[in-house]
Amino acid sequence: MGNAVNAGGDGASGGSAVLAMPSEPSNVDPIMTRSLSAWNIYYAVFDGLTRLEGDGSISPGLAESWTSNDTQDVWEFTIRDGVAFHDGTALEISDIVYTYEKILATDTSTNKVAIAMVDSVEAEGDNVVRFTLKNPFAAWLSQVATIGIVPEKSYEEKGDQFAEDPIGTGPFKFESWNHGVDYTVERYDDYWGEPAQLDKVTFKFVGAADARTTGVESGTLDTALIPASQVPVVESSNSATVIDAVSNKVALLGVNTTAGALQNLKLRQALPIAINREQIITELLDGYGTQTGQPVAKGVTGYIEDYPVPTYDRGAAKKLIEESGYDGEQISFQYASSGGDPTDPLVAQAIASDLEAVGLNIKLVGAEQESQSLTIANHQVAGLYLNFWSPSSMDGDVVVSQLLAGGPEDYARSPVTAKLYLDQQAASGDERIAVYQKIWEWNTENVSNISLWQIKNAFASSKSLKWTPPVDGIYRAYDYSQTNR
């Protein structure tokens, strides 16, 4: 294991940092694109009404305070005074209304589904914006944190070229985007909040894991996410260190419950207990994982403390398969053979081996990560598939929506989970957590998908860079400082 370092924000002011990203976002227009890679840049250049901190907590953003009605379907946000965009124009309530209405009016925006519950957004006086939702939604504060506000006038003038020269209110302003290479921002000195410590941050796109490791060792990168297999390499380096960090990422085995032999409930119930999670975590992930029986990680709203993990029992799994009447029909198992985590092929082979050991006829089908993601998004998986979920909103709502309540990974389409999904949106506090438990229990019984383990991230980092690893793995550039620049 690496040396745990957790020292963000106490370094010297000034200097620069180069932060590696495994992939380049296809777009960084906050109206059009919602993706994990784009959020690294959004959180530097733009602000939402709230801010989702690296530990998953919510703090004020452009809104200094907020209220909701008892049913949580009407929310009002009071916007702070003195906020200016990077071009010097003042933030107006109309810019906030425009941003949300523009997303809702744009069918090609991947953000549209995230705020589809908005019935209306309107200005209330000079400093309050009101959202009326179509249904109660307890997680609205997390959702608005992920929507970067744009200036209406500039966005209308630039159109689809806005992303090439964006203007936000964030702690950094855009400097350059060298497509395929890097994206650079510089500190915005007139920022409304606490100013960023670094003068300049470059997000460098480095797809190969070994290149990221080498880059940190050589000093061309300041930090990068690395696979567990490369932790020993960095630990032996004199110039870099390893930072271990819990994450919100859970590995899952998806199941098309409507396909062939997988339609049989007894056969599906054999799957969770046929997989030797402990052995895979120890031997393939070098301990960088914790077994779980629920699809959200500790720290994400919806996580149930002490929720049971299926006990590995090869004999019991064999018995269930015999009782299912399984006739040896081939079951396909799709995974990312390239472009995903470097351990994905080995993990897929280990799971397939476990399933074959209890009598199943498994056919491994590897594909490039982008192709695999497209197959999943289009609801076209033929059998089993290896996937991961890490909700950037740090709320289980999106996980339930996608896996168990009508989303592209929900093959069961159960009216039970559809109703429970709406129940959790309308509930709050302990009542909401109780609904999540019912959802996880339904999934445990019906095996619509199989939770495997919560991932622990490993970052290679230069010893001079001070920062706190975020649980969602997304960089908060304002949280970084250097001690020697």
Side-chain angles (χ1 to χ4, degrees):
M1 295 294 173
N3 301 315
V5 177
N6 196 21
D10 61 351
S13 178
S16 62
V18 182
L19 316 179
M21 291 171 53
S23 62
E24 179 179 10
S26 60
N27 195 344
V28 293
D29 180 340
I31 296 289
M32 296 301 300
T33 304
R34 185 178 186 85
S35 73
L36 287 174
S37 56
W39 269 312
N40 290 285
I41 293 167
Y42 290 171
Y43 289 159
V45 178
F46 300 96
D47 288 310
L49 299 187
T50 58
R51 174 182 280 186
L52 192 58
E53 303 291 357
D55 62 0
S57 63
I58 296 290
S59 62
L62 293 177
E64 58 186 6
S65 61
W66 49 81
T67 60
S68 74
N69 61 355
D70 290 342
T71 52
Q72 299 184 103
D73 54 0
V74 177
W75 293 79
E76 290 189 349
F77 294 81
T78 300
I79 307 304
R80 63 181 72 248
D81 293 330
V83 178
F85 287 102
H86 299 154
D87 63 356
T89 59
L91 170 73
E92 304 287 350
I93 294 291
S94 58
D95 295 310
I96 298 169
V97 174
Y98 170 81
T99 297
Y100 280 84
E101 289 186 337
K102 186 72 174 178
I103 292 172
L104 290 169
T106 307
D107 289 339
T108 52
S109 168
T110 55
N111 258 325
K112 184 174 180 178
V113 66
I115 62 168
M117 70 289 288
V118 173
D119 185 54
S120 66
V121 51
E122 54 195 337
E124 291 290 316
D126 294 333
N127 68 336
V128 173
V129 61
R130 170 187 289 178
F131 294 90
T132 301
L133 308 183
K134 297 173 184 173
N135 53 272
F137 190 43
W140 186 238
L141 292 179
S142 297
Q143 211 73 345
V144 299
T146 65
I147 303 296
I149 302 303
V150 302
E152 177 179 3
K153 184 173 184 297
S154 174
Y155 195 89
E156 285 295 304
E157 289 174 348
K158 295 178 179 178
D160 59 9
Q161 292 301 302
F162 179 81
E164 299 297 325
D165 185 20
I167 295 172
T169 61
F172 290 89
K173 57 184 180 180
F174 172 78
E175 181 178 291
S176 65
W177 185 3
N178 300 312
H179 291 272
V181 181
D182 59 32
Y183 191 105
T184 300
V185 297
E186 61 180 350
R187 184 173 56 206
Y188 178 40
D189 290 331
D190 293 326
Y191 187 54
W192 57 266
E194 186 175 345
Q197 297 182 76
L198 294 174
D199 297 327
K200 181 179 291 190
V201 172
T202 297
F203 302 93
K204 195 167 184 62
F205 314 127
V206 186
D210 55 350
R212 294 197 297 273
T213 302
T214 303
V216 177
E217 284 186 297
S218 67
T220 58
L221 300 174
D222 283 289
T223 188
L225 184 66
I226 60 172
S229 60
Q230 297 195 12
V231 166
V233 176
V234 179
E235 286 181 325
S236 63
S237 168
N238 293 324
S239 59
T241 189
V242 174
I243 299 178
D244 297 338
V246 296
S247 82
N248 65 344
K249 189 175 182 180
V250 172
L252 302 163
L253 187 66
V255 183
N256 181 346
T257 56
T258 66
L262 293 172
Q263 296 176 75
N264 187 292
L265 178 58
K266 278 203 170 181
L267 184 145
R268 295 202 306 274
Q269 289 175 334
L271 303 178
I273 60 174
I275 300 170
N276 192 337
R277 294 169 172 76
E278 182 178 2
Q279 185 176 50
I280 293 173
I281 291 171
T282 301
E283 297 183 0
L284 299 181
L285 304 181
D286 293 330
Y288 277 77
T290 304
Q291 297 184 57
T292 187
Q294 55 190 312
V296 297
K298 188 171 186 176
V300 174
T301 300
Y303 178 83
I304 307 297
E305 198 72 42
D306 298 325
Y307 190 81
V309 177
T311 301
Y312 172 60
D313 189 335
R314 180 172 288 180
K318 281 183 176 179
K319 186 170 186 294
L320 281 169
I321 289 172
E322 290 171 1
E323 292 173 355
S324 75
Y326 175 63
D327 62 2
E329 175 185 338
Q330 189 175 73
I331 300 172
S332 68
F333 177 13
Q334 297 175 237
Y335 69 100
S337 55
S338 62
D341 189 287
T343 60
D344 284 356
L346 293 175
V347 167
Q349 289 170 23
I351 293 174
S353 177
D354 282 342
L355 299 180
E356 287 169 347
V358 297
L360 297 178
N361 179 11
I362 302 295
K363 180 184 179 183
L364 278 169
V365 181
E368 199 278 329
Q369 176 65 64
E370 188 173 347
S371 175
Q372 162 97 342
S373 298
L374 193 60
T375 301
I376 294 172
N378 288 334
H379 197 62
Q380 294 176 333
V381 176
L384 304 171
Y385 61 99
L386 182 63
N387 199 22
F388 304 86
W389 261 100
S390 52
S392 296
S393 62
M394 296 300 292
D395 193 281
D397 179 89
V398 65
V399 178
V400 176
S401 168
Q402 298 298 299
L403 295 177
L404 296 161
E409 296 186 64
D410 176 22
Y411 288 88
R413 307 283 165 146
S414 166
V416 174
T417 51
K419 180 182 183 304
L420 288 171
Y421 174 63
L422 295 177
D423 289 347
Q424 68 81 21
Q425 287 193 323
S428 59
D430 291 343
E431 182 184 353
R432 189 166 181 236
I433 297 302
V435 179
Y436 273 114
Q437 177 146 353
K438 291 180 181 178
I439 297 172
W440 305 153
E441 288 171 348
W442 182 95
N443 189 45
T444 297
E445 175 65 24
N446 292 277
V447 197
S448 188
N449 59 75
I450 301 163
S451 305
L452 297 172
W453 45 78
Q454 179 175 347
I455 305 290
K456 183 164 69 172
N457 285 329
F459 293 89
S461 178
S462 67
K463 293 182 177 178
S464 64
L465 188 69
K466 299 301 179 185
W467 59 297
T468 302
V471 293
D472 56 11
I474 298 171
Y475 295 127
R476 271 74 170 173
Y478 52 81
D479 192 38
Y480 290 68
S481 63
Q482 292 278 17
T483 59
N484 63 352
R485 299 183 188 181

